[in-house]
């Protein structure tokens, strides 16, 4: 199953809002529009709204209420950083964000521990054999959600 193409940041925000509605979650969106406002445009001059190619960059930060705590930072470069209960997933393709959130809220995500080297990973499987996994920082203070989804 292939992810739907989300050509713009606004299309991704609309898809995240639809998922929030589907799972009855509160959603808060903060938009930054313009080269002088987006976080990755550090070299943009003062009042430089457009990029060198004439495009208008749009970045959004979305917070979803409920358990687990989830935030999505959508970048103009077609990627996102998704944080799930303090675990950061960098460079998630924008087109994969809806499937990622459905996996988290649909009960497919799980934590998996290792004895050597010691550590705990949050694993988020997506349709089509795509899987994201990141090390859980501060393994000693797990959130109730991270503890509840642990697998052997």
């Amino acid at each position: 199953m292939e992810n739907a193409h989300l050509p713009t940041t606004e299309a991704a925000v609309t898809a995240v809002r639809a998922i929030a509605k589907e799972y009855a979650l509160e959603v808060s969106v903060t938009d930054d529009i313009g080269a002088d406002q987006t976080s990755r445009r550090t070299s943009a001059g003062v009042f430089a709204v457009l990029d060198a190619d004439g495009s208008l960059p749009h970045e959004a930060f979305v917070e979803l209420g409920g358990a687990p705590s989830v935030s999505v930072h959508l970048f103009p470069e077609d990627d996102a950083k998704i944080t799930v209960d303090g675990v950061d997933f960098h460079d998630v393709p924008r087109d994969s964000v809806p499937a990622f959130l459905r996996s988290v809220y649909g009960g497919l995500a799980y934590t998996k521990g290792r004895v050597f080297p010691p550590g705990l990973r949050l694993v988020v499987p997506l349709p089509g054999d795509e899987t994201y996994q990141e090390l859980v920082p501060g393994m000693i203070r797990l959130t109730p959600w991270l503890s509840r989804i642990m697998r052997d």
Side-chain angles (χ1 to χ4, degrees), residues 7-63:
T8 64
T9 300
E10 190 58 37
V13 169
T14 301
V16 171
R17 285 184 192 270
I19 291 167
K21 185 176 182 181
E22 182 180 331
Y23 289 98
L25 303 169
E26 290 184 25
V27 63
S28 169
V29 179
T30 305
D31 292 295
D32 291 320
I33 300 174
D36 60 339
Q37 299 294 314
T38 57
S39 64
R40 292 184 178 169
R41 302 297 201 283
T42 56
S43 63
V46 179
F47 306 115
V49 177
L50 301 176
D51 277 344
D53 64 356
S55 64
L56 183 65
H58 178 195
E59 180 174 298
F61 183 75
V62 183
E63 290 180 289

Side-chain angles (χ1 to χ4, degrees), residues 99-137:
F100 189 101
L101 295 176
R102 279 198 173 85
S103 182
V104 168
Y105 290 114
L108 297 176
Y110 61 93
T111 53
K112 180 175 158 182
R114 287 178 43 171
V115 176
F116 189 79
L120 187 67
R121 293 194 167 275
L122 175 56
V123 180
V124 182
L126 274 58
D129 294 331
E130 188 177 359
T131 302
Y132 291 92
Q133 55 181 318
E134 289 293 334
L135 189 63
V136 176

